[in-house]
Amino acid sequence: MIIANWKCNGSKSMISEWVSDFSVNYIETNGPFIGIAPPSIYIENVLANIPTKLTGVNIGSQDIDTSSGARTGAVSSEMILDYGCKFSIIGHSERRQFYNERNDDIRRKILNIANKTLTILCVGETEEENKNDLTKDVLKKQLEVIEEIDFNDSLVIAYEPVWAIGTGNTPTPDNINEIHKFIKDVVQSTTRNSEIPLVLYGGSVNEDNAENFFKEEFVDGALIGGASLNGRQFANIINIYNGINSK
Ligand code: PEP
């Protein structure tokens, strides 16, 4: 699974350029689930621009709110389902940091979409927590939001160390593999159906380093921010993933 998180970037002209760069470079296979999460105001535009022959490309939302109604500026779970979004990214560290989201908000969001569309739950430690060897404790706490929820295979976890997002720094592939195994074990022991979710790595993935991560046993794909804004580069990362997984 390879997901593009465009965050608060893009424009109508960027989307047409992106789609044409992506289409020229993407080698279509029956490969992984591919998702694009544009800013919600552009979802319809991306849907209209993606050539119908690119059947494996799915649109998702970057977030949803905890509820609908008197919530100025918000996008609700009903709205993203109405648009046919195939996934939603929940609990991104930027939401936790800039919008002060806590575990109970994140759990409410997840409950709105669990089993209706894919939940991509982001977890990850800060640099300080990493230095203090608290990574596993932090992840365990963040993963409490899914306790006793029945996802029926609609849960994906993205391991995104906060210190790796947009910085060019990453954990070693070995480290990432170990943490992904840990996440799978924690989720299996806490969800109602003992789910073993796909676990994506996110944080400064690009076309030069992606191969190193994709080769690891417990890395099931990537969530990509900066590098996904370039249609050529995003297509190349998917091609790299397919090259490794078709061997
Ligand atoms: C992200 O914020 O989800 C992310 C992975 O960003 P980047 O790839 O730019 O580090």
Side-chain angles (χ1 to χ4, degrees):
M1 177 178 285
I2 312 283
I3 306 290
N5 174 14
W6 286 1
K7 310 190 186 188
C8 193
N9 294 291
S11 62
K12 287 191 275 183
S13 64
M14 172 267 186
I15 291 168
S16 37
E17 196 177 323
W18 191 98
V19 169
S20 94
D21 289 346
F22 180 81
S23 307
V24 169
N25 288 282
Y26 169 53
I27 303 166
E28 204 168 358
T29 64
N30 289 331
F33 181 104
I34 299 163
I36 307 170
S40 44
I41 197 167
Y42 290 119
I43 286 177
E44 192 163 23
N45 195 291
V46 175
L47 280 170
N49 272 276
I50 291 282
T52 41
K53 72 176 179 73
L54 296 182
T55 43
V57 181
N58 302 279
I59 301 297
S61 78
Q62 293 179 12
D63 190 46
I64 50 166
D65 205 345
T66 49
S67 62
S68 56
R71 312 269 306 165
T72 302
V75 173
S76 71
S77 57
E78 292 87 353
M79 291 169 190
I80 66 136
L81 295 172
D82 193 25
Y83 255 96
C85 285
K86 296 291 189 290
F87 64 93
S88 184
I89 301 169
I90 307 287
H92 192 280
S93 62
E94 287 156 11
R95 301 292 315 178
R96 296 176 195 258
Q97 189 185 346
F98 304 135
Y99 301 88
N100 212 23
E101 283 186 8
R102 296 287 164 259
N103 263 7
D104 55 338
D105 306 304
I106 293 167
R107 183 173 169 89
R108 285 175 68 197
K109 292 181 180 197
I110 292 172
L111 286 170
N112 287 342
I113 55 165
N115 259 316
K116 297 184 188 134
T117 192
L118 286 178
T119 298
I120 302 185
L121 171 65
C122 298
V123 294
E125 80 288 359
T126 62
E127 185 165 24
E128 197 183 337
E129 289 161 346
N130 184 281
K131 279 190 181 137
N132 290 319
D133 208 14
L134 292 171
T135 300
K136 288 184 177 169
D137 296 333
V138 170
L139 296 178
K140 224 169 165 187
K141 196 96 205 118
Q142 292 174 337
L143 288 168
E144 283 175 5
V145 297
I146 53 158
E147 268 175 16
E148 288 304 306
I149 299 179
D150 184 351
F151 284 96
N152 210 0
D153 288 335
S154 66
L155 174 70
V156 176
I157 306 289
Y159 170 51
E160 299 210 305
V162 180
W163 54 274
I165 294 180
T167 59
N169 302 322
T170 68
T172 63
D174 245 21
N175 275 161
I176 293 171
N177 203 39
E178 184 198 331
I179 295 295
H180 282 210
K181 166 88 172 70
F182 172 78
I183 290 171
K184 285 173 189 267
D185 290 345
V186 172
V187 174
Q188 191 179 17
S189 64
T190 52
T191 49
R192 200 173 288 164
N193 271 344
S194 305
E195 322 254 343
I196 305 178
L198 294 183
V199 182
L200 314 180
Y201 170 68
S204 296
V205 176
N206 57 43
E207 59 191 341
D208 299 324
N209 63 16
E211 185 174 3
N212 300 331
F213 305 129
F214 293 157
K215 279 182 179 159
E216 295 294 332
E217 182 181 357
F218 298 109
V219 174
D220 302 310
L223 176 54
I224 303 168
S228 76
L229 294 171
N230 178 313
R232 182 197 56 76
Q233 183 160 190
F234 186 62
N236 278 344
I237 294 171
I238 300 167
N239 297 339
I240 290 166
Y241 182 91
N242 287 336
I244 292 171
N245 286 282
S246 62
K247 274 178 203 151

